[in-house]
Amino acid sequence: MMDYNVPGGKLNRGLSVVDSYMLLRQGTEVDDEDFYLACVLGWCVEWLQASALVLDDITDNAYTRRDNLCWYKLPTVGMSAINDGVLLKCHVQAIIKRYFKEKFYFLDLMELWNEIGLQTAMGQMLDLITTHTGAKDLARYRIQGYRRIVKYKTSYYSFYLPVACALLLNGARLSDYVELKNVLIEMGVYFQIQDDYLDCFGDPEVIGKVGTDIEDYKCSWLIVQAMELANENEMKILYENYGKSDPKCVAEVKSVYRELDLQDIFLEYESRVYKHLVSTIDAETDRAIRDILKSFLKKIYRRKK
């Protein structure tokens, strides 16, 4: 179960722990133990990611993940995947206790992971109640609600957590890095908007999965933009077809997206947010923090998967 779900992705989140730690330690020697501990925390992030994906795929009724069938889709697994997802998350606590119990920052590390776990679960809850609870109404899909979902569901664990782990490993106090946290959260929002775009317009052979946001009635960036820009006729098409698994309905929604030039609007957004992030990063006085943020931005800017 672990071999199927934990490795196999890009490992960006886990590698970001190690990369960030090494940048924080620039100019000082990093011994084997410290490097090993950075790797342990990196794998913890990947374990948490695996847990989230296993459970997310079930709630989204997804079919493929990382070029393979979703774990729960395997005939020998089914709904026992729910317990597997919970088990993967429990592994993280066990790993952290095993390797960090005697460290002076152990309590801070445990509090960080508990906080991130809660925030991510709250983000998933916001996503689910927006998508599945009550009468379906696309009018609820607005940018403020979208950003709130993304901030909690994606940004905290994908962008802030890896850097926060590196900071604690380096003996820092997280309360001294609030502005860094804010920039990483904004990068996480940008990352998720990219994800939503690729779900619709990306090549499944490249991104490793078949996008299902339209069929799943997801509160994605594309539908939020469409609801702001659509005329009466386009709005009618969206209401009649969004959230239906019929390929013809999906094609109708994508046709509206193209009519509204959402691909160009995304490219304009990407260019604008990139310039803003570069400006913010350049204003950072701490070289190591500046380098960390640059490394994150380099990984995600104009990504194709």
Side-chain angles (χ1 to χ4, degrees), residues 140-173:
R140 294 192 298 173
Y141 287 4
R142 291 287 180 253
I143 195 65
Q144 295 88 347
Y146 172 80
R147 288 183 66 89
R148 187 163 56 245
I149 291 170
V150 170
K151 175 181 177 181
Y152 284 92
K153 185 179 177 181
T154 302
S155 291
Y156 278 111
Y157 93 89
S158 295
F159 285 78
Y160 176 60
L161 178 60
V163 178
C165 284
L167 287 168
L168 289 176
L169 193 57
N170 198 42
R173 291 188 307 176

Side-chain angles (χ1 to χ4, degrees), residues 251-286:
E252 287 286 340
V253 173
K254 289 187 177 182
S255 178
V256 171
Y257 285 175
R258 291 188 176 93
E259 286 175 17
L260 295 172
D261 295 323
L262 290 192
Q263 287 171 287
D264 288 339
I265 290 172
F266 167 76
L267 293 175
E268 290 172 11
Y269 160 80
E270 185 168 48
S271 177
R272 187 170 65 251
V273 76
Y274 177 76
K275 290 177 183 176
H276 169 70
L277 287 169
V278 168
S279 175
T280 303
I281 293 168
D282 287 343
E284 172 59 54
T285 56
D286 187 317

Side-chain angles (χ1 to χ4, degrees), residues 168-294:
L168 289 176
L169 193 57
N170 198 42
R173 291 188 307 176
L174 297 182
S175 58
D176 294 336
Y177 293 90
V178 176
E179 185 54 36
L180 168 63
K181 180 179 183 178
N182 293 336
V183 178
L184 289 166
I185 295 303
E186 190 58 38
M187 278 194 197
V189 173
Y190 164 41
F191 176 86
Q192 185 59 52
I193 290 173
Q194 285 178 314
D195 226 41
D196 292 351
Y197 174 83
L198 292 171
D199 184 274
C200 180
F201 295 114
D203 182 352
E205 294 293 323
V206 176
I207 63 177
K209 65 177 182 178
V210 177
T212 59
D213 282 358
I214 294 173
E215 295 94 320
D216 295 337
Y217 203 75
K218 279 288 185 179
C219 181
S220 84
W221 183 80
L222 292 170
I223 192 63
V224 167
Q225 296 300 310
M227 291 302 295
E228 290 184 3
L229 300 169
N231 59 32
E232 188 176 340
N233 182 56
E234 291 162 338
M235 195 76 77
K236 184 173 181 290
I237 293 172
L238 292 173
Y239 269 97
E240 290 175 351
N241 294 281
Y242 199 76
K244 296 180 180 177
S245 56
D246 185 340
K248 292 180 181 178
C249 295
V250 175
E252 287 286 340
V253 173
K254 289 187 177 182
S255 178
V256 171
Y257 285 175
R258 291 188 176 93
E259 286 175 17
L260 295 172
D261 295 323
L262 290 192
Q263 287 171 287
D264 288 339
I265 290 172
F266 167 76
L267 293 175
E268 290 172 11
Y269 160 80
E270 185 168 48
S271 177
R272 187 170 65 251
V273 76
Y274 177 76
K275 290 177 183 176
H276 169 70
L277 287 169
V278 168
S279 175
T280 303
I281 293 168
D282 287 343
E284 172 59 54
T285 56
D286 187 317
R287 180 186 170 187
I289 298 301
R290 201 164 58 239
D291 289 345
I292 288 171
L293 291 172
K294 284 181 178 178

Side-chain angles (χ1 to χ4, degrees), residues 92-110:
V92 174
Q93 302 290 331
I95 294 168
I96 290 175
K97 184 177 180 181
R98 174 175 178 177
Y99 288 98
F100 298 94
K101 188 177 181 181
E102 304 303 322
K103 302 296 182 183
F104 71 90
Y105 51 82
F106 173 67
L107 182 59
D108 291 331
L109 195 60
M110 292 297 288

